[in-house]
Amino acid sequence: MQRNPARLSARGPIDAENGFPRWYKDAAGRRLELAADPRDPNTPAMGDLPDPLAPVSFPGNFPDEAFYFLAEAEMDVAGGARPGRARLVLALEAAFALEAVQDGQQQVFARVRVRLDGGIPGALYTFTHPYGQTDPLPADENGRVFVTEDIGAGAGLFDVAVADGEVAPFLTWSADAPPGYVGDGVTEHTISGSPLGTNFFRVEGPGVGGLAGPDPADPTNPDKIFTDLFTLQGRLATRVGADVTRAVYSRNAGTVVLDVFATSEPGQTLRAAGTTLTGADGRYHTRAAVAAVPATLIVVNATDQPPTSAEAVVTDAVTITVADYDTAQRRLTVEAASSDLEDIPELLVTGLGPLTDGKQIFDDLEAPPAVVEVVSAHGGSARRHVLVTGPANPGDPVTALAGPDRIVAAGATVTLDGTASSGPGLTFLWEQIDGTPVTLTGADRARATFTAPATGAVEFRLTVQGPGGTAVDTVSIQVDPAGPVVDTLATTEVEFRTASGRWRIRGTATAPLPDVVTAALDGVEIGSAPVDALHEWDIRRTAIPGEPGVTPSAGDQLTLTSSRGGSATVPVTVRN
């Protein structure tokens, strides 16, 4: 697999009209804004509006998905039993975590999706695209490959697509893109911008060639197809906006001063409270004298045309001067003050209680919080790490805990775990005291491993030593000569959502690792997942609407099997 090392460089301020970032920017400085206007002919891809004839408004008449950037490519596939198609989707998509348009559920994710229909069942196929190359992927029993990676999905996680998403930098037509756009969203066109120099879509695997174009680098190979034509959608951001990061006031002897902190792109003209903010490196600030404390404050970006604005609640500023915990007295002392020296507000330590005249001592605390938060009745708040003083706790007595006796499969790699042992400055020693001799790896560490013999029981002694003394414990490992231990499978969620075509199947398995659980519907595999160290597994898959074999109906039963021989049949919960 070849991954894209490039990343986006920044996201814009939150648009007060819809709750999404105004734009995303790549390392080349290209900013693309959210395209959610059906009247724009160059950005046609978006979800349906409840009322297509009415203006776009949030949340009542807003699409359930829209795009900052979208690139797609398709090719015909000769395939096995019947011709098919190969498809690539590269997107920076805005949607909603609970699918329905709802404030607070806005999410933005970077999507890379490859799909092949008409391949040979069981054959391996590799996809190369502008942002990377996949490992060889197996076609299922229907000759289909379908893999989607969404980075940043989750309400409010707008920065994840910047930090971890691989849809970067934004691609553009190689020439003659419409002014203000990376493409027109409809016309197939050659592109530029791949950080890997792969401005194309290529599929390699048995039987794909013959219908689509050959790979120019390997034109006689019948197992490769290639296209350098893409549809691209993305609108250059024309307005920058601003975020208000903090708006606080100070009041003393009849004088009120506001401190306003904001962020935006460098070189913007931001105004608030009758003043122009000064800025450097995208950070802006002003200190303004006002007649009275306002409830809210608006920062205007006058560089934008028309101007944009951002509103913030104005609060007092809270300063914590003391947050000390004494281990000997089990006492936490907190001192804090508000910037409002005329109408002095009540100050409260979250989870503990109020301050009196800016100070409070909290006695009989067995354990202090790592951080204290003080909140003001005038809306301000502050946090401070607790400073701990006093004597250190005495070390625990030395104890040895070698773990529970258990049954393992013959030939399995077994871990002996003494990490639950207690005491300061411990050393460990594992020794076999009974059973077929085995070779211990890591016998002088808290965890040691060995390969289980063919049959019988093996017993080990753990000796733990420290300044506080020596302790010993033993553990017995019974080997099952019949072979692997059969799983008991249990489920905690078996759900299919029709609106999105999303499967979520998860549960537990009891057998020793490694273990893999597979889910199938009427003999058609939905997916599989490894069992983790906590003996939990989680299968997720997004089905194409109406996709044969993997779209259930109410009352359908799902079959679960494991590589350890376990099986279970469970009902499917179908939701909208």
Side-chain angles (χ1 to χ4, degrees):
M1 175 181 291
Q2 184 179 23
R3 306 302 296 253
N4 178 14
R7 295 293 184 268
L8 297 174
S9 63
R11 68 163 176 88
I14 300 300
D15 190 336
E17 294 183 1
N18 56 46
F20 287 102
R22 285 189 174 274
W23 45 261
Y24 279 82
K25 183 172 70 171
D26 64 18
R30 182 179 290 110
R31 294 193 307 268
L32 298 185
E33 63 187 17
L34 184 61
D37 185 353
R39 298 170 300 178
D40 186 342
N42 290 328
T43 58
M46 68 181 65
D48 294 332
L49 294 177
D51 184 354
L53 301 180
V56 174
S57 62
F58 185 88
N61 198 42
F62 199 81
D64 60 1
E65 64 174 1
F67 297 90
Y68 295 88
F69 170 77
L70 177 63
E72 297 183 279
E74 291 192 12
M75 295 182 286
D76 291 325
V77 174
R82 63 185 186 279
R85 296 282 285 173
R87 187 183 183 206
L88 170 70
V89 178
L90 307 170
L92 187 62
E93 180 173 346
F96 296 86
L98 296 181
E99 300 170 10
V101 176
Q102 182 179 342
D103 194 22
Q105 295 299 315
Q106 292 92 334
Q107 64 178 358
V108 176
F109 52 84
R111 167 169 288 180
V112 176
R113 170 178 286 172
V114 293
R115 176 169 180 169
L116 174 71
D117 291 291
I120 298 173
L124 298 177
Y125 296 90
T126 301
F127 301 78
T128 304
H129 54 79
Y131 297 137
Q133 183 183 77
T134 70
D135 288 331
L137 301 172
D140 64 17
E141 64 276 8
N142 297 312
R144 193 191 76 151
V145 178
F146 185 77
V147 175
T148 299
E149 181 181 67
D150 291 337
I151 301 297
L157 304 180
F158 300 131
D159 294 320
V160 176
V162 176
D164 299 328
E166 297 185 12
V167 180
F170 297 123
L171 307 173
T172 187
W173 278 8
S174 56
D176 302 324
Y181 299 85
V182 299
D184 67 6
V186 177
T187 305
E188 291 187 329
H189 202 286
T190 55
I191 62 167
S192 63
S194 166
L196 305 172
T198 52
N199 293 302
F200 55 80
F201 177 38
R202 180 175 64 211
V203 180
E204 303 173 59
V208 295
L211 297 179
D215 181 358
D218 193 7
T220 62
N221 191 331
D223 293 332
K224 289 185 180 181
I225 50 176
F226 170 99
T227 183
D228 58 3
L229 298 178
F230 290 71
T231 59
L232 291 187
Q233 172 176 310
R235 184 168 61 216
L236 299 181
T238 58
R239 298 193 294 173
V240 173
D243 265 335
V244 184
T245 53
R246 193 176 186 219
V248 295
Y249 74 90
S250 301
R251 178 161 50 188
N252 188 22
T255 299
V256 179
V257 176
L258 288 180
D259 279 293
V260 183
F261 302 83
T263 58
S264 186
E265 290 284 89
Q268 305 298 297
T269 299
L270 306 186
R271 298 193 176 104
T275 65
T276 298
L277 281 68
T278 57
D281 300 324
R283 301 186 307 274
Y284 295 83
H285 170 261
T286 188
R287 186 170 175 85
V290 295
V293 178
T296 60
L297 174 136
I298 294 177
V299 172
V300 175
N301 188 332
T303 307
D304 288 339
Q305 294 301 320
T308 55
S309 62
E311 185 176 11
V313 174
V314 177
T315 72
D316 62 335
V318 175
T319 302
I320 303 174
T321 54
V322 176
D324 296 349
Y325 179 79
D326 188 318
T327 60
Q329 302 182 54
R330 296 181 301 164
R331 171 180 292 175
L332 174 67
T333 302
V334 179
E335 297 181 17
S338 166
S339 60
D340 193 334
L341 301 182
E342 288 189 0
D343 182 15
I344 299 176
E346 180 184 52
L347 300 178
L348 178 75
V349 181
T350 302
L352 291 176
L355 303 183
T356 301
D357 295 329
K359 179 178 179 179
Q360 191 58 267
I361 295 174
F362 301 96
D363 286 315
D364 298 323
L365 292 182
E366 292 292 339
V371 175
V372 295
E373 180 184 51
V374 177
V375 296
S376 162
H378 290 177
S381 66
R383 292 167 61 87
R384 180 174 175 136
H385 289 279
V386 172
L387 174 65
V388 179
T389 60
N393 291 336
D396 291 337
V398 174
T399 61
L401 291 174
D405 297 343
R406 60 193 189 274
I407 300 173
V408 301
T413 298
V414 182
T415 299
L416 302 174
D417 192 341
T419 55
S421 303
S422 64
L426 296 181
T427 62
F428 297 84
L429 177 63
W430 292 95
E431 299 172 283
Q432 185 177 358
I433 57 177
D434 197 9
T436 303
V438 299
T439 300
L440 277 173
T441 300
D444 60 347
R445 297 194 291 267
R447 289 190 177 97
T449 60
F450 69 95
T451 301
T455 186
V458 285
E459 189 171 355
F460 299 89
R461 178 174 59 230
L462 171 64
T463 302
V464 176
Q465 289 184 309
T470 301
V472 174
D473 191 22
T474 61
V475 61
S476 178
I477 308 296
Q478 177 69 46
V479 179
D480 181 1
V485 177
V486 175
D487 261 335
T488 297
L489 298 178
T491 57
T492 57
E493 183 177 8
V494 181
E495 181 179 273
F496 180 81
R497 290 189 173 269
T498 57
S500 61
R502 292 179 182 172
W503 279 98
R504 181 71 185 278
I505 312 159
R506 56 178 175 156
T508 59
T510 60
L513 304 181
D515 194 5
V516 175
V517 175
T518 301
L521 180 68
D522 293 331
V524 177
E525 182 178 323
I526 302 300
S528 61
V531 180
D532 64 21
L534 299 178
H535 287 271
E536 297 175 348
W537 49 269
D538 190 342
I539 298 172
R540 305 186 190 195
R541 177 172 175 177
T542 301
I544 302 301
E547 180 180 3
V550 297
T551 304
S553 302
D556 279 355
Q557 298 283 314
L558 198 67
T559 300
L560 302 174
T561 57
S562 81
S563 58
R564 289 287 184 180
S567 64
T569 302
V570 292
V572 180
T573 299
V574 180
R575 304 184 190 278
N576 291 330

